[in-house]
Amino acid sequence: MKILVTGAAGFIGFHLSKRFLERGDEVVGLDSLNDYYDVNLKKARLSQLEGQPKFRFVKLDLADREGMAQLFAREKFQRVMNLAAQAGVRYSIENPHAYVDSNVVGFVNLLEGCRHHSVEHLVFASSSSVYGLNTKMPFSVHHNVDHPISLYAATKKANELMAHTYAHLYGLSTTGLRFFTVYGPWGRPDMALFKFTKAILEDQPIDIYNHGQMRRDFTYIDDIVEGVVRVLDKIPESNTMWSSDAPDPSTSPARYRLYNIGNNNPVELMHYIETLEKALGKTAKKNMLPMQAGDVPATYADVDDLEREVAFKPQTSIEDGIGRFVNWYKRYHGLDLS
């Protein structure tokens, strides 16, 4: 298939583009290469993709309405995987306009491109952050999620609503994926595992929020990629049993679907850090801090729908995942692997 992957120089977009190319798809990778984090890391990811005969890179911002319209008119994509977004919960508190430009304005431009050029299936990245003030565990796509606690989460919930509108009005098949704390090789420097690893190796203290009383459904990148590929290949059907008297948020009479992709096994943050310390052979200096604005104490994904409908459930252990990340980190930075 001919697939547009937005955010192709990003963490998940890079891995996903690589997987599509390996199975023989044609991939157009779009990225704005903004400087939210080290652009050299983004370029290093891209260098793994460029030169492959079925990959082409387009430097473009989703918020560029004319550029996006021209791209869709020119390329005639069959499927679209949207991973381009301004990421980060804490950064959204400091820079709200960046999130609206990328995650809302940019997403409208993407929806319009899909609508006008007969895209068979749009899959887009949502986030576990949409669960906000919800405390019922595990988090289910069948739960109401009307109480986000960061602008980032609000923009992701907005994406879900916007996608449903286009599915209903224009018959655009759309699927949203709520990712749960993705980690692994080539990961983002602003995420905990990358920051912790860098600090520990440099004998710097690591910041531990909520005094370590946190649990996260850490999900390894290979599991995310496998789940995404299976979902992209499965165009959603309308739910003929859907009831307006008791509306299910995850399905619709339109061709629209939501899934969680998480490890379904939340891990205590302190255990996560202990596992990293073992992999590095060094003990972290710990700076215990209160909870940060916009953060939640725990995440835990119900993945029953994903398992039932695309026959997949993430299963990489924290020990294996962190070990693979540490090996990549040392190789990437030219450190001693012994």
Side-chain angles (χ1 to χ4, degrees):
M1 294 183 289
K2 187 173 188 178
I3 304 172
L4 170 64
V5 177
T6 72
F11 174 32
I12 301 173
F14 156 68
H15 282 279
L16 197 56
S17 296
K18 190 175 177 184
R19 174 66 179 277
F20 287 142
L21 291 168
E22 286 169 354
R23 75 174 195 174
D25 293 318
E26 180 182 352
V27 176
V28 175
L30 177 150
D31 205 290
S32 67
L33 296 177
N34 70 25
D35 60 359
Y36 169 63
Y37 63 81
D38 185 10
V39 175
N40 289 324
L41 177 59
K42 297 180 181 183
K43 290 179 177 178
R45 295 184 188 125
L46 273 180
S47 71
Q48 307 284 308
L49 303 171
E50 291 180 314
Q52 298 197 45
K54 290 194 172 184
F55 179 81
R56 282 181 294 112
F57 175 64
V58 175
K59 187 174 185 293
L60 183 64
D61 192 318
L62 284 187
D64 180 346
R65 185 197 298 186
E66 185 176 335
M68 289 293 291
Q70 291 173 353
L71 177 70
F72 272 87
R74 181 172 69 246
E75 298 289 354
K76 309 297 184 190
F77 303 111
Q78 291 166 272
R79 312 248 167 131
V80 173
M81 181 66 227
N82 180 47
L83 293 156
Q86 180 58 61
V89 168
R90 293 175 192 132
Y91 188 71
S92 70
I93 295 169
E94 303 163 20
N95 297 275
H97 294 289
Y99 288 76
V100 173
D101 291 343
S102 179
N103 302 5
V104 179
V105 175
F107 195 65
V108 170
N109 292 339
L110 191 77
L111 287 168
E112 281 289 285
C114 292
R115 168 198 171 191
H116 288 293
H117 297 283
S118 304
V119 168
E120 298 169 353
H121 191 193
L122 164 64
V123 178
F124 62 95
S126 185
S127 168
S128 62
S129 66
V130 300
Y131 289 102
L133 290 176
N134 289 24
T135 56
K136 185 178 179 180
M137 299 281 180
F139 291 149
S140 169
V141 290
H142 304 288
H143 294 166
N144 178 284
V145 289
D146 281 344
H147 298 87
I149 58 172
S150 71
L151 185 64
Y152 171 68
T155 64
K156 288 300 186 179
K157 172 66 187 290
N159 287 171
E160 295 178 0
L161 297 174
M162 293 158 72
H164 180 266
T165 302
Y166 272 67
H168 172 74
L169 289 175
Y170 309 116
L172 173 63
S173 297
T174 64
T175 303
L177 299 175
R178 293 174 178 170
F179 296 140
F180 281 69
T181 317
V182 189
Y183 74 101
W186 296 99
R188 286 191 355 235
D190 63 313
M191 302 220 32
L193 183 58
F194 203 112
K195 291 197 292 187
F196 288 171
T197 300
K198 183 176 187 293
I200 293 170
L201 288 173
E202 294 175 356
D203 292 315
Q204 297 297 315
I206 62 174
D207 290 339
I208 301 175
Y209 295 105
N210 203 32
H211 304 284
Q213 301 301 305
M214 308 271 273
R215 295 164 70 234
R216 287 288 181 272
D217 211 343
F218 296 103
T219 314
Y220 189 64
I221 184 60
D222 289 2
D223 289 331
I224 290 288
V225 167
E226 180 63 29
V228 171
V229 168
R230 293 191 187 205
V231 168
L232 190 76
D233 288 346
K234 181 181 174 60
I235 296 176
E237 299 291 336
S238 62
N239 179 2
T240 58
M241 304 297 290
W242 193 87
S243 169
S244 56
D245 292 332
D248 173 11
S250 73
T251 65
S252 171
R255 292 178 178 270
Y256 172 84
R257 199 72 176 85
L258 292 174
Y259 296 104
N260 287 332
I261 300 189
N263 211 42
N264 190 232
N265 182 29
V267 172
E268 297 285 346
L269 178 59
M270 297 311 294
H271 175 66
Y272 189 72
I273 292 168
E274 288 165 9
T275 304
L276 177 59
E277 289 172 326
K278 287 177 185 175
L280 292 170
K282 291 189 71 174
T283 301
K285 298 173 183 176
K286 301 175 181 71
N287 183 25
M288 297 297 191
L289 297 170
M291 180 74 90
Q292 292 287 286
D295 235 340
V296 296
T299 63
Y300 179 8
D302 178 335
V303 294
D304 288 351
D305 288 25
L306 185 74
E307 189 172 8
R308 182 179 64 252
E309 295 179 25
V310 299
F312 179 69
K313 180 179 180 179
Q315 49 196 314
T316 304
S317 71
I318 283 294
E319 290 74 17
D320 285 347
I322 286 179
R324 292 177 205 169
F325 172 82
V326 167
N327 287 338
W328 167 80
Y329 186 94
K330 289 182 174 180
R331 281 195 307 272
Y332 181 75
H333 290 282
L335 304 176
D336 184 6
L337 288 171
S338 60

mmCIF file of all heavy atoms in Angstrom, residues 90 181-182 188-198 206-207 218 269 272 276 325:
data_model
loop_
_atom_site.group_PDB
_atom_site.id
_atom_site.type_symbol
_atom_site.label_atom_id
_atom_site.label_comp_id
_atom_site.label_asym_id
_atom_site.label_seq_id
_atom_site.Cartn_x
_atom_site.Cartn_y
_atom_site.Cartn_z
ATOM 1 N N ARG A 90 3.763 18.232 30.286
ATOM 2 C CA ARG A 90 4.238 19.408 31.028
ATOM 3 C C ARG A 90 4.510 20.592 30.100
ATOM 4 O O ARG A 90 4.229 21.737 30.447
ATOM 5 C CB ARG A 90 5.493 19.039 31.832
ATOM 6 C CG ARG A 90 5.182 18.041 32.941
ATOM 7 C CD ARG A 90 6.395 17.548 33.688
ATOM 8 N NE ARG A 90 6.019 16.408 34.514
ATOM 9 C CZ ARG A 90 6.683 15.270 34.555
ATOM 10 N NH1 ARG A 90 7.770 15.105 33.834
ATOM 11 N NH2 ARG A 90 6.272 14.281 35.333
ATOM 12 N N THR A 181 2.527 5.323 27.618
ATOM 13 C CA THR A 181 3.934 5.481 27.999
ATOM 14 C C THR A 181 4.864 4.581 27.178
ATOM 15 O O THR A 181 5.389 3.580 27.672
ATOM 16 C CB THR A 181 4.139 5.223 29.507
ATOM 17 O OG1 THR A 181 3.098 5.848 30.250
ATOM 18 C CG2 THR A 181 5.496 5.792 29.953
ATOM 19 N N VAL A 182 5.071 4.963 25.941
ATOM 20 C CA VAL A 182 5.893 4.175 25.023
ATOM 21 C C VAL A 182 7.381 4.421 25.307
ATOM 22 O O VAL A 182 7.796 5.560 25.550
ATOM 23 C CB VAL A 182 5.575 4.550 23.560
ATOM 24 C CG1 VAL A 182 6.267 3.588 22.597
ATOM 25 C CG2 VAL A 182 4.065 4.561 23.325
ATOM 26 N N ARG A 188 12.319 9.295 22.804
ATOM 27 C CA ARG A 188 12.394 10.750 22.932
ATOM 28 C C ARG A 188 13.207 11.160 24.150
ATOM 29 O O ARG A 188 13.000 10.621 25.244
ATOM 30 C CB ARG A 188 10.979 11.349 23.055
ATOM 31 C CG ARG A 188 10.223 11.341 21.769
ATOM 32 C CD ARG A 188 8.949 12.166 21.800
ATOM 33 N NE ARG A 188 8.549 12.750 23.052
ATOM 34 C CZ ARG A 188 7.345 12.566 23.614
ATOM 35 N NH1 ARG A 188 6.459 11.763 23.056
ATOM 36 N NH2 ARG A 188 7.038 13.173 24.742
ATOM 37 N N PRO A 189 14.081 12.141 24.007
ATOM 38 C CA PRO A 189 14.913 12.596 25.135
ATOM 39 C C PRO A 189 14.126 13.247 26.263
ATOM 40 O O PRO A 189 14.643 13.371 27.368
ATOM 41 C CB PRO A 189 15.859 13.619 24.495
ATOM 42 C CG PRO A 189 15.853 13.317 23.041
ATOM 43 C CD PRO A 189 14.482 12.791 22.744
ATOM 44 N N ASP A 190 12.888 13.682 25.999
ATOM 45 C CA ASP A 190 12.106 14.329 27.053
ATOM 46 C C ASP A 190 11.343 13.326 27.909
ATOM 47 O O ASP A 190 10.678 13.701 28.878
ATOM 48 C CB ASP A 190 11.122 15.335 26.447
ATOM 49 C CG ASP A 190 10.083 14.673 25.548
ATOM 50 O OD1 ASP A 190 10.479 13.832 24.706
ATOM 51 O OD2 ASP A 190 8.890 14.990 25.674
ATOM 52 N N MET A 191 11.443 12.034 27.581
ATOM 53 C CA MET A 191 10.721 11.025 28.341
ATOM 54 C C MET A 191 11.595 10.431 29.437
ATOM 55 O O MET A 191 12.822 10.461 29.368
ATOM 56 C CB MET A 191 10.165 9.953 27.411
ATOM 57 C CG MET A 191 9.263 10.551 26.378
ATOM 58 S SD MET A 191 7.767 9.712 25.899
ATOM 59 C CE MET A 191 7.105 8.842 27.212
ATOM 60 N N ALA A 192 10.943 9.879 30.452
ATOM 61 C CA ALA A 192 11.623 9.497 31.693
ATOM 62 C C ALA A 192 12.812 8.575 31.473
ATOM 63 O O ALA A 192 13.901 8.821 32.010
ATOM 64 C CB ALA A 192 10.620 8.861 32.647
ATOM 65 N N LEU A 193 12.642 7.514 30.682
ATOM 66 C CA LEU A 193 13.716 6.533 30.550
ATOM 67 C C LEU A 193 14.975 7.163 29.965
ATOM 68 O O LEU A 193 16.095 6.911 30.438
ATOM 69 C CB LEU A 193 13.256 5.357 29.682
ATOM 70 C CG LEU A 193 14.275 4.222 29.520
ATOM 71 C CD1 LEU A 193 14.679 3.646 30.871
ATOM 72 C CD2 LEU A 193 13.700 3.128 28.626
ATOM 73 N N PHE A 194 14.825 7.982 28.953
ATOM 74 C CA PHE A 194 15.960 8.648 28.313
ATOM 75 C C PHE A 194 16.636 9.600 29.299
ATOM 76 O O PHE A 194 17.865 9.596 29.460
ATOM 77 C CB PHE A 194 15.472 9.411 27.079
ATOM 78 C CG PHE A 194 16.523 9.670 26.041
ATOM 79 C CD1 PHE A 194 16.474 9.042 24.798
ATOM 80 C CD2 PHE A 194 17.557 10.559 26.281
ATOM 81 C CE1 PHE A 194 17.431 9.290 23.826
ATOM 82 C CE2 PHE A 194 18.520 10.823 25.316
ATOM 83 C CZ PHE A 194 18.458 10.185 24.091
ATOM 84 N N LYS A 195 15.816 10.419 29.982
ATOM 85 C CA LYS A 195 16.364 11.381 30.939
ATOM 86 C C LYS A 195 17.053 10.683 32.112
ATOM 87 O O LYS A 195 18.136 11.100 32.549
ATOM 88 C CB LYS A 195 15.253 12.295 31.456
ATOM 89 C CG LYS A 195 14.713 13.253 30.414
ATOM 90 C CD LYS A 195 13.933 14.408 31.021
ATOM 91 C CE LYS A 195 12.654 13.974 31.651
ATOM 92 N NZ LYS A 195 11.822 15.131 32.086
ATOM 93 N N PHE A 196 16.425 9.624 32.614
ATOM 94 C CA PHE A 196 17.022 8.888 33.732
ATOM 95 C C PHE A 196 18.358 8.267 33.336
ATOM 96 O O PHE A 196 19.341 8.346 34.068
ATOM 97 C CB PHE A 196 16.079 7.779 34.205
ATOM 98 C CG PHE A 196 14.852 8.246 34.939
ATOM 99 C CD1 PHE A 196 13.831 7.352 35.245
ATOM 100 C CD2 PHE A 196 14.703 9.570 35.331
ATOM 101 C CE1 PHE A 196 12.697 7.767 35.927
ATOM 102 C CE2 PHE A 196 13.563 9.998 36.013
ATOM 103 C CZ PHE A 196 12.559 9.091 36.310
ATOM 104 N N THR A 197 18.390 7.640 32.171
ATOM 105 C CA THR A 197 19.615 6.979 31.715
ATOM 106 C C THR A 197 20.749 7.977 31.566
ATOM 107 O O THR A 197 21.877 7.748 32.037
ATOM 108 C CB THR A 197 19.360 6.251 30.376
ATOM 109 O OG1 THR A 197 18.327 5.277 30.568
ATOM 110 C CG2 THR A 197 20.615 5.563 29.867
ATOM 111 N N LYS A 198 20.464 9.100 30.912
ATOM 112 C CA LYS A 198 21.482 10.134 30.714
ATOM 113 C C LYS A 198 22.008 10.642 32.052
ATOM 114 O O LYS A 198 23.220 10.751 32.265
ATOM 115 C CB LYS A 198 20.892 11.280 29.897
ATOM 116 C CG LYS A 198 21.872 12.405 29.548
ATOM 117 C CD LYS A 198 21.182 13.434 28.661
ATOM 118 C CE LYS A 198 22.163 14.485 28.144
ATOM 119 N NZ LYS A 198 22.691 15.346 29.216
ATOM 120 N N ILE A 206 18.303 12.275 39.425
ATOM 121 C CA ILE A 206 17.098 12.170 38.607
ATOM 122 C C ILE A 206 15.921 12.714 39.411
ATOM 123 O O ILE A 206 15.844 12.543 40.629
ATOM 124 C CB ILE A 206 16.824 10.717 38.154
ATOM 125 C CG1 ILE A 206 16.588 9.784 39.356
ATOM 126 C CG2 ILE A 206 17.965 10.203 37.284
ATOM 127 C CD1 ILE A 206 16.170 8.368 38.961
ATOM 128 N N ASP A 207 15.014 13.405 38.732
ATOM 129 C CA ASP A 207 13.825 13.949 39.379
ATOM 130 C C ASP A 207 12.734 12.887 39.402
ATOM 131 O O ASP A 207 12.359 12.334 38.348
ATOM 132 C CB ASP A 207 13.314 15.181 38.617
ATOM 133 C CG ASP A 207 14.253 16.377 38.767
ATOM 134 O OD1 ASP A 207 15.035 16.397 39.737
ATOM 135 O OD2 ASP A 207 14.193 17.279 37.908
ATOM 136 N N PHE A 218 3.976 1.054 31.163
ATOM 137 C CA PHE A 218 5.056 1.230 30.191
ATOM 138 C C PHE A 218 4.911 0.209 29.056
ATOM 139 O O PHE A 218 4.782 -0.988 29.297
ATOM 140 C CB PHE A 218 6.408 1.045 30.877
ATOM 141 C CG PHE A 218 6.716 2.061 31.938
ATOM 142 C CD1 PHE A 218 6.609 1.747 33.286
ATOM 143 C CD2 PHE A 218 7.108 3.349 31.602
ATOM 144 C CE1 PHE A 218 6.895 2.684 34.272
ATOM 145 C CE2 PHE A 218 7.390 4.302 32.568
ATOM 146 C CZ PHE A 218 7.286 3.965 33.914
ATOM 147 N N LEU A 269 6.926 3.033 39.643
ATOM 148 C CA LEU A 269 8.025 3.843 39.131
ATOM 149 C C LEU A 269 9.360 3.463 39.787
ATOM 150 O O LEU A 269 10.390 3.399 39.114
ATOM 151 C CB LEU A 269 7.735 5.326 39.353
ATOM 152 C CG LEU A 269 8.829 6.304 38.906
ATOM 153 C CD1 LEU A 269 9.131 6.155 37.419
ATOM 154 C CD2 LEU A 269 8.421 7.744 39.225
ATOM 155 N N TYR A 272 10.721 0.429 38.220
ATOM 156 C CA TYR A 272 11.222 0.805 36.894
ATOM 157 C C TYR A 272 12.643 1.358 37.011
ATOM 158 O O TYR A 272 13.549 0.979 36.252
ATOM 159 C CB TYR A 272 10.275 1.863 36.324
ATOM 160 C CG TYR A 272 10.457 2.255 34.883
ATOM 161 C CD1 TYR A 272 10.116 1.396 33.848
ATOM 162 C CD2 TYR A 272 10.907 3.540 34.546
ATOM 163 C CE1 TYR A 272 10.224 1.781 32.522
ATOM 164 C CE2 TYR A 272 11.010 3.939 33.221
ATOM 165 C CZ TYR A 272 10.667 3.048 32.215
ATOM 166 O OH TYR A 272 10.773 3.444 30.905
ATOM 167 N N LEU A 276 16.309 -0.163 35.733
ATOM 168 C CA LEU A 276 17.266 0.626 34.951
ATOM 169 C C LEU A 276 18.636 0.634 35.632
ATOM 170 O O LEU A 276 19.672 0.504 34.959
ATOM 171 C CB LEU A 276 16.743 2.050 34.766
ATOM 172 C CG LEU A 276 17.666 3.027 34.034
ATOM 173 C CD1 LEU A 276 18.007 2.523 32.634
ATOM 174 C CD2 LEU A 276 17.024 4.414 33.970
ATOM 175 N N PHE A 325 16.832 -0.923 25.491
ATOM 176 C CA PHE A 325 17.035 0.524 25.396
ATOM 177 C C PHE A 325 18.446 0.907 25.822
ATOM 178 O O PHE A 325 19.116 1.703 25.154
ATOM 179 C CB PHE A 325 16.021 1.286 26.253
ATOM 180 C CG PHE A 325 16.321 2.755 26.324
ATOM 181 C CD1 PHE A 325 15.928 3.604 25.296
ATOM 182 C CD2 PHE A 325 17.035 3.298 27.387
ATOM 183 C CE1 PHE A 325 16.228 4.962 25.333
ATOM 184 C CE2 PHE A 325 17.352 4.655 27.434
ATOM 185 C CZ PHE A 325 16.939 5.483 26.401
#
